[in-house]
Amino acid sequence: MLFVVMDTNALFRDPWMTRDAASKLVDLAATGACEIVYPQVVIDELRRQRVESARGAHEDAAASVQQMRAAGSDVTQTANDLSAAHDRIEADIDSTFHAALARDGVHAAPVPKVPTSDLLRRDLGRRRPFLEIEQGKTKKSLGFRDVLIWESVLELLVGAELDDKVLFVTFDSGFLAEDKKSLHQDLMDDVDRLRIPRNRISWSLNIVEAIAIVEAQVPASPPVETMPPVEEAPEPEPIASKPSKNPLDVAVNELKQMRSPVAKVDLVKAATDALYDLMNESVSEQLIYGGDYGYPSFVKFTLPAIEDAAITGIDQTTEFSFKEDPASPDVIIATAVAVVTLEGGLYRGDWHSGDGEVSVIGELNNHYLEASAEVEVRVVVQLDIEGGSGIPIDVVLEDPRPAVGIADDALDFALAD
């Protein structure tokens, strides 16, 4: 069995896995292709996030009601209804979590019983997932809940069958190596200490990549036996179109026949890595070649009114679709939709002048507010498949647009299993 363990950041926008690509992973779990595991620590974190979000929305709504009261409106019933709705919200959130965990192939893992002395040694030893950050002139340790999530993964591996595996879904830097291409060595040292074969633990950056990994390990269904069809008079065969005599077309077709097989899961991983490599990248104007100012080459989408903005969050909402680059037989174009979170500065004079797409999260100075915005983008990644694997060539974030006349996975060759 493949256990897919979810980290909190993989579920921030969709804690119950009911929309976007997450619903497909739930469907796969229902068929027995995998088991989705929510560590109890993750459930508690997500619950707190939802309660605090609801509390903030209630406070904003209550303030608006009080403004109406101050203007002379009788809002007694509205205030009472709002208060009653807020009193029910925690029960509604708990009920939704219970329903999510009651689905086939989905369950929770209890909080691991880790001795306090072990946590202390890990913290003082600066071993991941503990992180030590500078805060002013002092250092602060972070990662207590992350350690408990990781211990949940280890307990699952220790208690499972020898041929069971775990796929950990996270892009939290506390769990990852500096290059964000593997789990951190401190975590792998834990695996070795417990004498767990390393091939029993793997990870993915997000749910979309996890889906590709799960699908890759599902055996292909055998062909369905059917009754032989009733023989009928053969229809005349259509006249085959003559192959192109254009030397360029002939050369391209020959190159296509010679290229190595490529696995879809490898393309998904390469495209996902290219997307998440944009984390913390600036999207603001900067000095470019020639002495002019311009946006980074990957920024092709409409930016909100935030200055010195950088990408602080990425949530891929659709799976990648693939098509060949008409200009090159060895290049695949992968496209998907994602929501990127941007954070930067907002001039105080511009606040309240927009349409609400920007949220204020703090103050920077007397002139600027700290602001964030979520922007939906179309992700376009070019992948070089020469040699049988996908190597990112370029990644661009565009304004989303509907695909017209192009089906998902519109390739004229089959992807390898």
Side-chain angles (χ1 to χ4, degrees):
M1 174 59 69
L2 177 62
F3 295 98
V4 182
V5 181
M6 310 303 301
D7 187 21
T8 309
N9 59 25
L11 298 171
F12 177 73
R13 288 175 51 84
D14 187 14
W16 304 295
M17 301 183 71
T18 55
R19 61 183 177 86
D20 300 333
S23 60
K24 182 173 181 178
L25 184 60
V26 173
D27 290 342
L28 286 168
T31 66
C34 65
E35 282 271 344
I36 297 173
V37 180
Y38 279 73
Q40 186 61 47
V41 180
V42 169
I43 295 174
D44 293 341
E45 284 189 315
L46 291 171
R47 183 186 185 280
R48 187 185 71 171
Q49 291 171 0
R50 290 306 173 201
V51 169
E52 290 180 347
S53 177
R55 185 180 296 123
H58 173 262
E59 290 172 353
D60 291 343
S64 297
V65 171
Q66 289 304 316
Q67 289 177 357
M68 295 174 63
R69 189 192 302 277
S73 300
D74 182 4
V75 294
T76 303
Q77 186 59 49
T78 301
N80 290 339
D81 291 344
L82 185 61
S83 178
H86 180 259
D87 292 341
R88 293 194 305 268
I89 194 65
E90 290 194 35
D92 290 342
I93 290 173
D94 289 338
S95 176
T96 307
F97 271 117
H98 291 153
L101 295 170
R103 293 173 294 189
D104 292 339
V106 182
H107 69 272
V111 177
K113 296 179 180 179
V114 186
T116 305
S117 58
D118 290 353
L119 296 176
L120 179 60
R121 280 194 296 270
R122 190 175 197 114
D123 186 5
L124 294 177
R126 297 187 178 95
R127 293 178 55 233
R128 299 291 187 92
F130 278 116
L131 288 172
E132 198 168 68
I133 63 170
E134 296 281 349
Q135 195 171 59
K137 295 183 178 181
T138 62
K139 292 184 177 181
K140 184 177 181 180
S141 178
L142 301 174
F144 174 73
R145 292 190 298 273
D146 286 343
V147 171
L148 294 180
I149 292 171
W150 174 242
E151 289 289 343
S152 298
V153 172
L154 294 177
E155 281 196 358
L156 184 59
L157 282 167
V158 170
E161 299 294 332
L162 293 179
D163 58 347
D164 290 338
K165 297 182 179 181
V166 165
L167 173 62
F168 187 29
V169 185
T170 182
F171 63 92
D172 189 317
S173 58
F175 296 108
L176 304 180
E178 298 303 326
D179 62 0
K180 305 295 190 295
K181 303 301 182 185
S182 63
L183 292 174
H184 195 276
Q185 183 60 43
D186 288 348
L187 276 59
M188 301 314 298
D189 288 344
D190 293 333
V191 172
D192 294 341
R193 173 176 52 83
L194 295 170
R195 297 183 179 180
I196 299 170
R198 289 195 175 193
N199 64 358
R200 292 185 59 199
I201 175 73
S202 59
W203 73 284
S204 64
L205 282 165
N206 62 17
I207 289 175
V208 169
E209 188 178 1
I211 290 171
I213 294 172
V214 172
E215 289 181 325
Q217 58 93 48
V218 175
S221 301
V224 179
E225 294 186 4
T226 59
M227 294 293 291
V230 178
E231 294 186 3
E232 296 180 356
E235 296 183 359
E237 296 183 1
I239 300 175
S241 58
K242 294 183 179 180
S244 172
K245 298 292 186 181
N246 186 307
L248 179 60
D249 292 340
V250 173
V252 168
N253 287 330
E254 288 178 351
L255 288 173
K256 289 181 179 180
Q257 297 298 321
M258 294 169 57
R259 63 187 167 196
S260 303
V262 57
K264 181 177 180 180
V265 65
D266 292 336
L267 293 180
V268 172
K269 177 170 177 50
T272 305
D273 286 346
L275 170 60
Y276 278 78
D277 281 345
L278 298 178
M279 277 288 292
N280 301 317
E281 288 290 327
S282 170
V283 298
S284 298
E285 283 191 306
Q286 54 193 249
L287 190 64
I288 59 176
Y289 181 78
D292 295 327
Y293 280 85
Y295 291 104
S297 60
F298 70 88
V299 177
K300 304 297 182 185
F301 61 96
T302 304
L303 291 165
I306 301 180
E307 300 179 32
D308 296 325
I311 296 176
T312 59
I314 297 174
D315 183 42
Q316 188 177 340
T317 57
T318 71
E319 295 182 76
F320 279 107
S321 60
F322 302 96
K323 66 175 182 178
E324 289 185 302
D325 186 342
S328 173
D330 288 324
V331 175
I332 296 295
I333 300 175
T335 58
V337 176
V339 175
V340 295
T341 302
L342 307 178
E343 291 186 6
L346 176 65
Y347 183 63
R348 288 178 182 269
D350 292 336
W351 180 231
H352 292 313
S353 64
D355 58 0
E357 65 177 355
V358 177
S359 300
V360 171
I361 57 178
E363 294 190 4
L364 293 176
N365 51 48
N366 291 335
H367 301 286
Y368 280 88
L369 300 166
E370 186 178 8
S372 70
E374 291 186 346
V375 182
E376 186 176 66
V377 296
R378 181 173 182 260
V379 184
V380 182
V381 184
Q382 288 183 311
L383 302 169
D384 185 347
I385 62 170
E386 186 177 11
S389 62
I391 299 175
I393 302 172
D394 189 34
V395 57
V396 171
L397 305 183
E398 305 176 341
D399 286 322
R401 65 176 187 269
V404 179
I406 301 177
D408 287 351
D409 300 336
L411 303 174
D412 65 358
F413 65 95
L415 293 169
D417 292 332

